[in-house]
Amino acid sequence: MHTSEPLSREGALSLLGRHREIELREDTGFAPGTVALLIADTLDSPTLTLLRRVARSDGARAVLVVGTLREAELLDVVACGISAIVWRREATEKQLVRAVVAAARGDGNLPGDLLGRLITQVGALHRSAAGRDGVPTSGLTPREAEVLRLVADGLDTGEIATELAYSERTIKNIMHGLTTRFQLRNRAHAVAYALREGYI
């Protein structure tokens, strides 16, 4: 379990501990069949980094209990292989148990409003990528927008890589791909484009 709030941790442990089908473990490893429970108000950098670690593990799954989730973050979370998302305001004992059990079975569990947003985003990406082997023909991907937001904040390639838990090479490839696709001259031009189009 990952949370920066002791009260949230104790509450979740207490609620989940009442159910015999759930075995609670204190270790931080991501062994096959385990479910990592992450609790946060927003999708901050440590939480996203941990989600990516779970995604890279073999057979572990993650449940995210979160207060808010921005549009740009939704596809990133799904790309991390998240099994279930529960809104903090709806995180009752029944909801937590349902999400953890579903994740353990390999099933997904998303709130209805998030499912609708996800379907809309995937549909938009599909329409924009038609005929280009999955590369959007118009608009930025959520990952590209996030990289450009960090560029606009003044971070260099290494700092962006650390913030997003990617390699520097990946960040360079993202920048190269979007500057080539939109015929942008440099980082400043890319940030200006993203601002003008409303991505950041």
Side-chain angles (χ1 to χ4, degrees):
M1 179 177 309
H2 167 78
T3 180
S4 59
E5 303 167 11
L7 185 59
S8 293
R9 177 182 175 77
E10 293 304 317
L13 288 173
S14 173
L15 293 176
L16 295 174
R18 299 175 188 170
H19 297 268
R20 284 179 283 162
E21 68 271 28
I22 299 174
E23 178 186 344
L24 298 175
R25 295 184 182 172
E26 290 295 323
D27 61 6
T28 57
F30 300 119
T34 61
V35 176
L37 178 64
L38 296 84
I39 304 172
D41 278 327
T42 60
L43 189 66
D44 57 10
S45 182
T47 304
L48 188 55
T49 299
L50 194 54
L51 275 174
R52 289 188 177 120
R53 280 185 48 216
V54 174
R56 288 191 297 264
S57 67
D58 184 24
R61 297 180 176 91
V63 172
L64 176 64
V65 179
V66 67
T68 60
L69 203 56
R70 296 183 322 215
E71 291 291 328
E73 296 169 332
L74 182 55
L75 284 180
D76 282 340
V77 169
V78 172
C80 287
I82 192 79
S83 297
I85 299 174
V86 178
W87 290 124
R88 261 187 109 147
R89 63 186 175 272
E90 298 173 358
T92 62
E93 179 176 350
K94 183 177 179 180
Q95 287 284 62
L96 280 179
V97 170
R98 181 184 300 144
V100 169
V101 170
R105 284 193 315 254
D107 297 337
N109 188 9
L110 292 177
D113 60 329
L114 269 189
L115 186 57
R117 283 165 55 189
L118 181 61
I119 290 169
T120 300
Q121 283 191 21
V122 169
L125 284 174
H126 179 72
R127 286 187 299 277
S128 70
R132 290 278 315 271
D133 295 327
V135 177
T137 56
S138 63
L140 298 177
T141 66
R143 184 167 72 163
E144 289 170 338
E146 185 67 9
V147 168
L148 286 179
R149 184 185 64 74
L150 294 173
V151 170
D153 287 343
L155 278 67
D156 64 26
T157 301
E159 292 169 325
I160 294 170
T162 301
E163 177 78 14
L164 298 178
Y166 290 126
S167 69
E168 287 190 33
R169 183 181 185 92
T170 298
I171 300 303
K172 289 176 184 175
N173 288 340
I174 291 168
M175 287 301 300
H176 175 74
L178 69 91
T179 55
T180 301
R181 195 165 78 246
F182 297 107
Q183 299 174 355
L184 304 169
R185 293 183 300 278
N186 51 39
R187 286 178 169 226
H189 193 194
V191 168
Y193 171 84
L195 284 168
R196 188 172 55 247
E197 297 298 321
Y199 291 104
I200 60 174

